[in-house]
Amino acid sequence: MTQGGKKKKRAVNRSIMLAKKIIIKDGGTPQGIGSPSVYHAVIVIFLEFFAWGLLTAPTLVVLHETFPKHTFLMNGLIQGVKGLLSFLSAPLIGALSDVWGRKSFLLLTVFFTCAPIPLMKISPWWYFAVISVSGVFAVTFSVVFAYVADITQEHERSMAYGLVSATFAASLVTSPAIGAYLGRVYGDSLVVVLATAIALLDICFILVAVPESLPEKMRPASWGAPISWEQADPFASLKKVGQDSIVLLICITVFLSYLPEAGQYSSFFLYLRQIMGFSSESVAAFIAVLGILSIIAQTIVLSLLMRSIGNKNTILLGLGFQILQLAWYGFGSEPWMMWAAGAVAAMSSITFPAVSALVSRTADADQQGVVQGMITGIRGLCNGLGPALYGFIFYIFHVELNELPMPESPSGGSVVTQFQLQQNSIIPGPPFLFGACSVLLALLVALFIPEHTNLNIRSSSWKKHCGSHGHPHSPQAPGEAKEPLLQDTNV
């Protein structure tokens, strides 16, 4: 090779290295507007879930029209596949975002999570198929939590997480009602177009306005940094469960209580719409009221209970409310019963915050991430198993409809068909009764959890993995949970 050729090759190599440094420094995309802040994350979360909240009522109708037979079974399978894929992919995406930056993965997760929206009117079959597959990237929360952890100090991180969680709740409190109103007045097509436009706005906001939160922490050497299986293993958090009897009791309690909760979230609004005869507006109002009551329960009521009766008794009280709520859902045959049970459901949302607080108070500082990671892994697994289980129980008990609800009655609810009344006169909701039995077992297990103890788990090098569904390498305050608690409320 000639001397000129060698110089030219070295110049090309220097250009490539410079490009890599620029890409790594900026997270792979140009810097956004201003410095990274919690408000960037808040806007991303609000727009994504506001877009999906608008589609609450149209999705229920399209689901039944697409699967007129075995509606609940298909809904459970769709949501179950999505949940399992999210459980499997969350740690890998979190680990990759530690290497390649948050902005690119925010863009990736929001894009694929919102990709099914325009397909609702184009092809319902493709719509539900893409929803299932999108679970691989439906982990926006994990990336957002990592983004927030990058830009906040330990003492202000809890408040920042609370702001993100409250924004998530606010988007779901308002958007279903707006979507139901627009659908009734202008038709569902307009709602789908509006939701698609908001999703595109979210994507454009990430591209243009969101700055990378990890520019100074990344080095050119990390361009091809390997990702170990330990970081990407979704079951890593579950492998430590049996090493301490107290942790085992806590994890069993979380599994038995969150399994029916995850299944309930996937099918309850469809249940209200198709079986209980709620109108679209009534479902939207139910979501709003339940969300507001849950926020109150997890802030004011929870703090009062924690001070007055302690951690363990708060957990037992929350499980008791959950049993009552599920039993009421299972036997309830009138709309007013659903509203009353919804108020009880809001009180049952204190269970997981109380569990997380118990772990934070009893575990050593260097064990916090390990234990919280186990609990997060258990709940991630339930997000996949719960919806499929509920759908299967609806199927084996033949809880189906052959037609959509009849026109609305003057009282505001839809007229329940005679077919429904005959079929569901004794037990309208069998899965909810199964859930009540599961939570009863969780209550019995929780009775053996001591109020004060020291957890001792052999974590060694595994500590770096910490929460497999959060942001494994992001800094975390010793006493904090690995993800905001409001994500798992009844909203």
Side-chain angles (χ1 to χ4, degrees), residues 94-96 98-99 102 150 217 227-228 231 463-467 470-476 482:
L96 290 175
D98 288 333
V99 175
R102 315 297 185 194
D150 294 337
K217 296 182 181 180
I227 302 297
S228 68
Q231 294 171 245
K463 290 177 186 177
K464 66 181 182 180
H465 182 72
C466 289
H471 33 91
H473 305 293
S474 298
Q476 187 84 2
K482 274 294 174 185

Side-chain angles (χ1 to χ4, degrees), residues 208-230:
V208 176
V210 176
E212 173 58 52
S213 62
L214 279 176
E216 74 284 352
K217 296 182 181 180
M218 308 191 71
R219 299 291 185 268
S222 67
W223 176 261
I227 302 297
S228 68
W229 170 245
E230 189 177 39

Side-chain angles (χ1 to χ4, degrees), residues 227-242:
I227 302 297
S228 68
W229 170 245
E230 189 177 39
Q231 294 171 245
D233 183 8
F235 298 97
S237 60
L238 308 182
K239 295 175 182 177
K240 297 285 181 177
V241 168

Side-chain angles (χ1 to χ4, degrees), residues 350-370:
I350 64 176
T351 303
F352 184 74
V355 169
S356 204
L358 177 65
V359 170
S360 293
R361 291 180 58 182
T362 56
D364 294 334
D366 62 345
Q367 301 289 326
Q368 291 288 332
V370 177

Side-chain angles (χ1 to χ4, degrees), residues 107 109 147 275:
L107 183 64
T109 55
Y147 189 96
I275 302 300

Side-chain angles (χ1 to χ4, degrees), residues 3 69 72 82 86 288 299 451 468:
Q3 188 71 18
K69 294 183 179 180
F72 288 96
K82 180 180 179 181
S86 298
T299 53
E451 178 74 36
S468 64

Side-chain angles (χ1 to χ4, degrees), residues 130-375:
V130 175
I131 283 180
S132 299
V133 178
S134 70
V136 175
F137 298 100
V139 289
T140 307
F141 265 107
S142 295
V143 185
V144 165
F145 299 160
Y147 189 96
V148 171
D150 294 337
I151 59 179
T152 55
Q153 300 297 322
E154 292 183 356
H155 67 277
E156 59 186 4
R157 193 166 298 146
S158 295
M159 184 176 296
Y161 279 165
L163 181 60
V164 173
S165 299
T167 303
F168 161 72
S171 67
L172 293 183
V173 165
T174 56
S175 55
I178 296 174
Y181 171 77
L182 293 177
R184 179 170 56 85
V185 176
Y186 301 104
D188 289 344
S189 296
L190 176 66
V191 180
V192 174
V193 171
L194 179 60
T196 303
I198 294 175
L200 290 174
L201 177 62
D202 197 10
I203 293 171
C204 293
F205 177 78
I206 296 172
L207 280 171
V208 176
V210 176
E212 173 58 52
S213 62
L214 279 176
E216 74 284 352
K217 296 182 181 180
M218 308 191 71
R219 299 291 185 268
S222 67
W223 176 261
I227 302 297
S228 68
W229 170 245
E230 189 177 39
Q231 294 171 245
D233 183 8
F235 298 97
S237 60
L238 308 182
K239 295 175 182 177
K240 297 285 181 177
V241 168
Q243 294 189 3
D244 186 279
S245 59
I246 307 303
V247 173
L248 182 62
L249 292 175
I250 293 175
C251 288
I252 292 175
T253 301
V254 171
F255 179 81
L256 292 175
S257 62
Y258 194 71
L259 184 67
E261 196 170 329
Q264 174 186 323
Y265 296 156
S266 69
S267 60
F268 186 63
F269 300 130
L270 176 65
Y271 179 79
L272 291 179
R273 184 83 169 90
Q274 306 295 347
I275 302 300
M276 299 308 301
F278 273 48
S279 66
S280 299
E281 291 78 9
S282 298
V283 171
F286 190 94
I287 296 173
V289 172
L290 194 59
I292 294 171
L293 290 178
S294 296
I295 294 172
I296 295 174
Q298 289 201 57
T299 53
I300 301 173
V301 177
L302 179 63
S303 62
L304 292 175
L305 289 175
M306 294 282 278
R307 287 197 299 265
S308 59
I309 65 176
N311 271 67
K312 180 180 176 179
N313 290 330
T314 301
I315 294 172
L316 297 176
L317 183 62
L319 292 174
F321 278 119
Q322 190 177 359
I323 294 172
L324 177 60
Q325 159 224 334
L326 290 169
W328 211 337
Y329 281 156
F331 286 111
S333 58
E334 298 292 335
W336 71 266
M337 296 180 180
M338 298 296 104
W339 285 98
V344 178
M347 282 299 301
S348 71
S349 67
I350 64 176
T351 303
F352 184 74
V355 169
S356 204
L358 177 65
V359 170
S360 293
R361 291 180 58 182
T362 56
D364 294 334
D366 62 345
Q367 301 289 326
Q368 291 288 332
V370 177
V371 183
Q372 296 287 357
M374 293 178 195
I375 295 175

